[in-house]
Amino acid sequence: MYFLGFDLGSSSVKACLIHADTGSVAASAFYPEREMTIAAPKPGFAEQQPALWWENACLASKAVMSKAGISAEDVGAIGISYQMHGLVVVDKDLNVLRPSIIWCDSRAVEVGNKAMEALGEEYVLPHLLNSPGNFTASKLGWVKENEPDVYAKVDKFMLPGDYLAARMTGEVVTTPSGLSEGIFWDFVNERPADFLFSHFGFDPGIMATVLPTFAEQGKVSASAAVELGLRAGIPVTYRAGDQPNNAFSLNVLEPGEVAATAGTSGVVYGVSDQIKFDPKSRVNTFLHVNPLSAAARYGVLLCVNGTGSLNGWLRNSLFQGKVSYPEMNDFAAQAPVGSDGLICLPFGNGAERMLENQDPGNTFKGLQFSRHGLSHWTRAAQEGIVFALYYGMEIMETVGVSLKNIRAGEANMFLSPVFRETFANVSGATVELYNTDGAQGAARAAGFGLGYYKNRDEAFVGLSALRTVEPDNSLKEATREAYQNWKQALEKTL
């Protein structure tokens, strides 16, 4: 038997098949080969077409089945990971009514701020653990306020993964963890947040049916099976946002365990068994996914919007697309710790929750024409991304997240020696890099949702650390000094 995982990102849709018993990867594929377009019709807007997600999911599914050379009869279950905080609205026939407002869109900040003020933070924070801020609920509120003709046609709102699953199964379903990431979940009463629906004037009937994260959530329909190159009747048994799923893929399930990722955005995600929140909502607490614990688990999430996107911008603009990412990593290694005084504030991809929803843009400070070259620019960008993540990690520690050991997939920015070593040296934590990714995690989770796996040992067989990066005592002091200089530059900017 094989399990099939999909990871719907903002750059591509990846599919992965794993062998149920060995955990080995039979094949993986992603589409498109170049990044999916993110439309910005106005400053601060970020939209994608859900139809494009489905098209690329179908292409990835057919490719992974072809590469693996297995029969569709051998696929036992499907799991879905997806970009968090997005909004998809559909009519009663599942027709998409407008482009999806995705995670890095900033338009709903003021809508969320007004909701917080009207409801009162002394009530909102204990119930939602976050300000409505710029999350899915506020994005739906923005549509209602600014596009009433669209809102009048809404039969259901969904998160991106809910939409992908609905295209597969015809069933409009969501999960408590999904609702919590959209800021629709009442943690005090352990149900959807009725008071927030009332505040925005949402009809509760536009919410999808709520099912457990690990459970059968529908079966692949006959028409979808043709498009996907699969068989009808395969159950979809798991869905989760990309960051809880990334933590799951790294076997990060219990308090004190921490996961990190640095793809288009950069995230550090720590697990807790306590309901704690940051009063300023700079880091965010959601329901975590853990099929093995009867007790609730919470994920504390820090996000920096532009990590890989900054690196990609440098490659396409500074290097004019003429060098590879590995070559850029070599350039970065040629500059000293601290980039000889060149500082990069790695923002510029929308409002940053860590900065209380400010959008300061990207800045390079301290540039000296006689001293700084391509190596300094490249290293400063990588150091700036790490320092921004660590700035948020200091906030995470105030809500009880320990940062002694951090797990990540050996991918994206973590392929850079400068990046991972700076991460270890500034945080003082051991960084462990694993042979996994979000699509693999979704595939393993599908096995849990099917009831095939009973414990961690069964589910995570085949998962192993490829590299361990310990803090380098000879570089820690210089790295911390560079971080303090970076932090001062940031605080002067805000």
Side-chain angles (χ1 to χ4, degrees):
M1 183 185 292
Y2 295 83
F3 298 130
L4 175 58
F6 289 92
D7 185 12
L8 165 58
S10 47
S11 299
S12 65
V13 182
K14 185 171 185 179
C16 180
L17 276 165
I18 68 163
H19 190 280
D21 294 330
T22 66
S24 60
V25 175
S28 62
F30 69 92
Y31 276 87
E33 293 183 359
R34 293 193 173 186
E35 294 185 359
M36 284 191 289
T37 299
I38 297 177
K42 293 183 180 180
F45 283 27
E47 299 180 344
Q48 287 185 319
Q49 293 288 351
L52 189 61
W53 300 340
W54 176 246
E55 176 186 333
N56 286 303
C58 291
L59 290 169
S61 179
K62 289 177 178 177
V64 80
M65 291 299 293
S66 176
K67 286 183 178 181
I70 67 168
S71 168
E73 296 297 322
D74 295 328
V75 179
I78 292 172
I80 298 172
S81 166
Y82 58 88
Q83 49 173 295
M84 297 172 71
H85 315 311
L87 171 70
V88 180
V89 287
V90 299
D91 65 16
K92 60 184 178 60
D93 297 316
L94 292 185
N95 296 311
V96 176
L97 297 172
R98 67 169 332 281
S100 174
I101 303 174
I102 67 169
W103 59 277
C104 54
D105 187 290
S106 329
R107 77 185 71 183
V109 169
E110 190 56 32
V111 174
N113 290 344
K114 287 180 180 178
M116 184 75 154
E117 183 178 354
L119 292 167
E121 67 177 53
E122 68 283 352
Y123 184 84
V124 167
L125 290 177
H127 282 263
L128 302 179
L129 305 188
N130 305 280
S131 164
N134 193 37
F135 294 104
T136 310
S138 298
K139 290 168 182 172
L140 183 59
W142 184 94
V143 172
K144 183 174 183 290
E145 183 177 316
N146 292 275
E147 298 176 348
D149 292 344
V150 172
Y151 183 80
K153 300 174 185 176
V154 173
D155 182 68
K156 290 288 186 289
F157 72 85
M158 291 183 275
L159 297 159
D162 299 336
Y163 172 78
L164 192 60
R167 288 297 301 264
M168 291 180 183
T169 67
E171 303 289 337
V172 182
V173 174
T174 193
T175 65
S177 64
L179 291 175
S180 79
E181 73 174 69
I183 316 303
F184 288 106
W185 190 256
D186 184 339
F187 284 82
V188 172
N189 296 303
E190 297 184 346
R191 66 173 187 241
D194 300 339
F195 69 91
L196 194 68
F197 278 75
S198 296
H199 168 78
F200 282 122
F202 300 152
D203 180 348
I206 68 173
M207 185 177 66
T209 301
V210 184
L211 292 178
T213 298
F214 298 88
E216 185 174 311
Q217 301 164 358
K219 290 182 169 68
V220 173
S221 68
S223 59
V226 173
E227 293 186 80
L228 291 162
L230 299 174
R231 63 173 173 87
I234 300 173
V236 175
T237 58
Y238 166 83
R239 78 188 67 182
D242 52 8
Q243 298 313 322
N245 177 74
N246 180 61
F248 178 89
S249 72
L250 292 160
N251 198 6
V252 170
L253 300 176
E254 296 294 347
E257 298 174 345
V258 177
T261 183
T264 302
S265 63
V267 171
V268 179
Y269 183 99
V271 180
S272 174
D273 58 359
Q274 302 177 50
I275 299 182
K276 287 189 174 182
F277 56 85
D278 172 37
K280 296 182 179 180
S281 291
R282 296 165 296 175
V283 298
N284 304 107
T285 304
F286 307 116
L287 285 172
H288 187 38
V289 295
N290 186 336
L292 298 172
S293 176
R297 295 290 181 259
Y298 307 94
V300 180
L301 183 150
L302 151 74
C303 179
V304 174
N305 288 346
T307 55
S309 55
L310 167 58
N311 212 35
W313 180 86
L314 282 175
R315 180 174 179 266
N316 294 327
S317 299
L318 187 65
F319 291 98
Q320 299 182 323
K322 295 179 180 178
V323 302
S324 66
Y325 287 119
E327 288 171 326
M328 288 177 63
N329 294 338
D330 291 340
F331 269 107
Q334 294 170 20
V337 172
S339 305
D340 206 8
L342 183 62
I343 291 172
C344 174
L345 302 181
F347 309 110
N349 202 26
E352 298 281 355
R353 291 197 300 276
M354 181 182 74
L355 304 180
E356 299 181 57
N357 285 322
Q358 295 183 73
D359 184 1
N362 182 267
T363 306
F364 281 86
K365 290 179 174 288
L367 176 63
Q368 298 289 326
F369 300 137
S370 61
R371 294 168 56 196
H372 297 134
L374 293 176
S375 63
H376 298 90
W377 280 81
T378 311
R379 185 178 188 113
Q382 294 196 14
E383 288 183 335
I385 293 165
V386 174
F387 293 161
L389 290 168
Y390 185 65
Y391 184 82
M393 289 161 68
E394 290 183 321
I395 301 170
M396 292 178 71
E397 289 185 300
T398 69
V399 294
V401 176
S402 170
L403 300 170
K404 294 180 181 178
N405 184 282
I406 299 170
R407 299 176 191 171
E410 189 173 51
N412 302 315
M413 297 295 293
F414 280 100
L415 292 172
S416 165
V418 165
F419 185 88
R420 60 196 183 222
E421 289 163 10
T422 303
F423 208 108
N425 290 331
V426 73
S427 68
T430 299
V431 177
E432 297 178 352
L433 302 179
Y434 284 80
N435 60 337
T436 190
D437 58 28
Q440 288 186 48
R444 292 179 188 274
F448 260 122
L450 188 65
Y452 191 83
Y453 298 135
K454 306 300 183 185
N455 55 55
R456 287 175 96 165
D457 289 342
E458 290 180 2
F460 294 103
V461 63
L463 180 70
S464 61
L466 301 176
R467 189 188 306 271
T468 299
V469 183
E470 300 283 357
D472 185 337
N473 290 330
S474 68
L475 298 176
K476 282 172 61 176
E477 183 176 349
T479 305
R480 293 288 299 179
E481 181 181 351
Y483 170 67
Q484 292 301 325
N485 292 336
W486 180 94
K487 188 174 181 180
Q488 290 175 14
L490 172 64
E491 292 174 348
K492 288 178 181 178
T493 300
L494 298 178

